Amino acid sequence: MAPTTTAPLWSAPLDLTQPLFAFGSSVEGRALVAERYGELGGRRVLVIGVIHGNEADGVAIVDQLRSEPPPPGVELWLVESMNPDGQAAGDRHNAHHVDLNRNFPYNWGPIGQPGVGQYAGPGPASEPETLAVINLIRQLRPDITIWYHQDLFTISPSTGRDGRIRARYSELTGVPLGEITGGIYTGVAATWARRELEPDDGVAFIVELGATLTAADAELHATAVRTIAAEG
Ligand SMILES: [Zn+2]
């Protein structure tokens, strides 16, 4: 019997001219939704509010970003959450108990057991949420991508354009630059994205918010996103 072949999920074509669409679904069938604002053909900036379900304050920043149009020349993309199941459960992991920020297919390594700490999944990009985000980023090819986490209140420094834009974001928000240590950082989404977008000098980074985020903080972060988006 011939093996059944299915197109890899990450090749599903997306209509990027739509202002709002589901680009995949979670393990439990919740829609993963992308929203587009601003100028079609402008600098593409992607903001992902939540990847770890129990680190959800990025949603307030996404809400702020929705509240007014981005600056001229910017095509702003918002994904409120790439882990709606984890968010519903108040859990870091997705519904397969995988840490999605260890599941991306660049420099993936096995970590842990299901549900334990940073369990990386049975293999690289084993999770539907990971595959959907890979597909979205491969088709969007954003110039700048940001993922929000909590609660280390730090942005890792970097080099080149990536480093310059991180430093600018740090300056605009007061979140200090500093090395994030103490974990195993394989299969990290932003590292994969940076690698993927390297030929275009794309920027991708994590903002570690603090334990809480006030409405004023959310506004400050939204303003910082708009500023780096406009400046490039
Ligand atoms: Zn996190």
Side-chain angles (χ1 to χ4, degrees):
M1 201 174 122
T4 304
T5 57
T6 49
L9 283 177
W10 56 83
S11 68
L14 301 171
D15 181 357
L16 302 177
T17 67
Q18 293 298 309
L20 187 147
F21 56 86
F23 62 95
S25 55
S26 68
V27 171
E28 291 179 342
R30 292 182 173 90
L32 305 177
V33 177
E35 300 164 56
R36 176 176 54 74
Y37 296 86
E39 203 174 307
L40 260 180
R43 182 197 311 286
R44 282 187 174 160
V45 175
L46 170 63
V47 173
I48 298 181
V50 181
I51 178 168
H52 287 145
N54 60 346
E55 302 171 5
D57 281 354
V59 171
I61 301 168
V62 169
D63 265 339
Q64 273 294 329
L65 286 167
R66 282 188 186 112
S67 72
E68 60 179 90
V74 174
E75 189 184 299
L76 177 66
W77 288 81
L78 303 176
V79 172
E80 181 174 303
S81 178
M82 62 167 284
N83 185 9
D85 297 351
Q87 219 181 321
D91 183 14
R92 175 183 180 91
H93 310 94
N94 76 347
H96 286 153
H97 313 295
V98 173
D99 183 336
L100 295 175
N101 205 36
R102 301 294 181 276
N103 189 238
F104 277 71
Y106 173 69
N107 189 29
W108 182 88
I111 310 173
Q113 302 294 324
V116 174
Q118 302 169 353
Y119 174 53
S126 57
E127 302 310 300
E129 297 90 348
T130 309
L131 289 168
V133 168
I134 289 170
N135 186 39
L136 179 69
I137 288 179
R138 283 195 171 150
Q139 289 179 53
L140 262 186
R141 301 202 64 79
D143 187 47
I144 300 173
T145 305
I146 300 171
W147 271 271
Y148 289 104
H149 287 256
Q150 289 173 274
D151 54 359
L152 302 175
F153 200 61
T154 307
I155 298 170
S156 277
S158 182
T159 54
R161 178 170 183 252
D162 191 58
R164 177 173 60 74
I165 290 177
R166 291 181 192 211
R168 181 71 172 131
Y169 192 101
S170 163
E171 174 187 272
L172 289 164
T173 58
V175 177
L177 290 174
E179 294 292 346
I180 293 172
T181 56
I184 301 168
Y185 301 111
T186 52
V188 171
T191 312
W192 170 83
R194 208 156 47 251
R195 175 84 176 187
E196 182 74 15
L197 302 168
E198 212 166 45
D200 303 331
D201 206 14
V203 167
F205 62 100
I206 287 170
V207 175
E208 281 275 357
L209 304 168
T212 57
L213 191 80
T214 65
D217 292 335
E219 206 175 321
L220 186 67
H221 280 267
T223 301
V225 170
R226 292 187 191 106
T227 303
I228 61 167
E231 291 174 352

